[in-house]
Amino acid sequence: VTSHPLRVVIVGSGVLLPDDAHRSSGHWVSAEGGPAGEAPFRMLLDCGSGTLHGMARDALPWAELDHVVLSHFHTDHMGDLVPVLWALRWGIDGGRTRPLHLVGPEGLGMRLRGLADGFGSWLLEPGFPLHAHEVPAGGRWRNEDAGVDLVAHAARHTPEALAWRVEARGTRVGYTGDTGPLPALGAFFRGVELLVAECAVPDDQAMEIHLSPHELAPMAEAAAPTLLVTVHHYPQLDRAALPDLLRAAGYSGRVAVGHDGLALAVGPSAVRHLSGSPED
Ligand SMILES: [Zn+2]
Ligand SMILES: [Zn+2]
């Protein structure tokens, strides 16, 4: 049994603005088979534009992808869903039999049908089993075979927006999706080893539906992750200053400013950098 069973790669650390070095939101979480016979899994948390090509850039086995988990229905979080399905349908030598689980907020099925209206019915019957699972805020979805649980908490962004906790192999990863300040998320993420959190805007541009450093700091301090990774930075936020801003605002734990390609090995009580710059 490895001491760091989960692999997490920040595929897209950016926002909607075109920036090849900071693509839209997409975060890879994977594990090999578990000690109790659990199957391997390869998961994306969000699937914004740039995620498909970003997985290739980061040498991730995109053809093996079997879970896509959406936080909400903004294009910077799901814009590459159709390209990913297209690549899985047509881009794999010999075709694909592995099922794909799409997990997201209520309204996911309706949106898939709308995408199929636009791009063709292949999208709902791509030649491999495609399962859509709508999870309400406060709900939970489990893949028994892979030994992975997804726990949803309402986020403060859009009516459907969810924050997610991924639990597998005795290890927990938290992901805020997009959210404004919401103290309940500190408790929801309490004890996660890795917290991937949006920090979109500078403090002087704080808003209801995104986090600034002063708003993220108390939530992260309450969550007390082994490592905090910040993502979803708008250009006006000074990335280099972010660790100091978070500390000044009361966060006392470890922090790394997320960038595309940042790869981490995550275990029950430790997070190790695999590639990308070391944490600040
Ligand atoms: Zn959004
Ligand atoms: Zn966003």
Side-chain angles (χ1 to χ4, degrees):
V1 180
T2 169
S3 59
H4 298 79
L6 301 190
R7 182 181 184 202
V8 176
V9 180
I10 303 301
V11 180
S13 62
V15 289
L16 74 168
L17 299 165
D19 176 351
D20 200 38
H22 302 95
R23 299 178 186 189
S24 293
S25 298
H27 311 297
W28 176 273
V29 182
S30 64
E32 302 312 313
E38 302 94 333
F41 68 86
R42 284 84 171 87
M43 175 183 293
L44 276 175
L45 300 177
D46 280 338
C47 190
S49 54
T51 301
L52 176 62
H53 297 294
M55 287 190 290
R57 174 203 60 198
D58 295 336
L60 294 168
W62 61 267
E64 299 172 11
L65 184 68
D66 47 22
H67 297 75
V68 176
V69 182
L70 299 178
S71 64
H72 63 296
F73 301 130
H74 281 163
T75 54
D76 60 319
H77 295 257
M78 66 176 292
D80 255 8
L81 183 58
V82 172
V84 164
L85 290 170
W86 180 257
L88 296 179
R89 171 69 182 90
W90 301 106
I92 299 176
D93 283 346
R96 173 190 169 105
T97 56
R98 184 190 288 250
L100 180 70
H101 298 281
L102 289 178
V103 186
E106 291 172 330
L108 174 65
M110 178 187 75
R111 280 166 176 82
L112 285 176
R113 289 190 292 277
L115 290 170
D117 284 345
F119 293 100
S121 58
W122 65 270
L123 192 144
L124 295 176
E125 295 187 13
F128 53 85
L130 177 65
H131 305 293
H133 310 277
E134 296 188 356
V135 181
R140 173 187 286 261
W141 179 82
R142 175 172 175 79
N143 182 331
E144 194 72 40
D145 291 342
V148 59
D149 280 274
L150 291 161
V151 189
H153 192 290
R156 184 179 173 186
H157 184 68
T158 59
E160 83 281 4
L162 298 175
W164 288 103
R165 217 170 57 218
V166 183
E167 305 180 347
R169 312 293 188 270
T171 305
R172 298 193 285 180
V173 172
Y175 174 48
T176 61
D178 285 355
T179 186
L182 189 62
L185 286 182
F188 177 66
F189 290 127
R190 178 87 192 161
V192 299
E193 278 73 34
L194 175 67
L195 177 58
V196 178
E198 76 127 291
C199 192
V201 292
D203 289 316
D204 62 3
Q205 295 174 30
M207 57 176 76
E208 295 276 302
I209 60 165
H210 280 297
L211 293 175
S212 75
H214 261 83
E215 295 161 341
L216 171 57
M219 192 262 276
E221 184 69 7
T226 305
L227 178 68
L228 168 68
V229 171
T230 62
V231 293
H232 205 282
H233 312 119
Y234 279 95
Q236 60 268 34
L237 183 73
D238 183 351
R239 288 181 172 88
L242 198 42
D244 285 341
L245 292 170
L246 288 166
R247 279 186 205 104
Y251 176 61
S252 60
R254 292 167 63 195
V255 57
V257 178
H259 59 84
D260 290 19
L262 176 64
L264 303 161
V266 185
S269 60
V271 180
R272 191 160 54 83
H273 283 264
L274 294 174
S275 68
S277 62
E279 73 201 71
D280 298 277

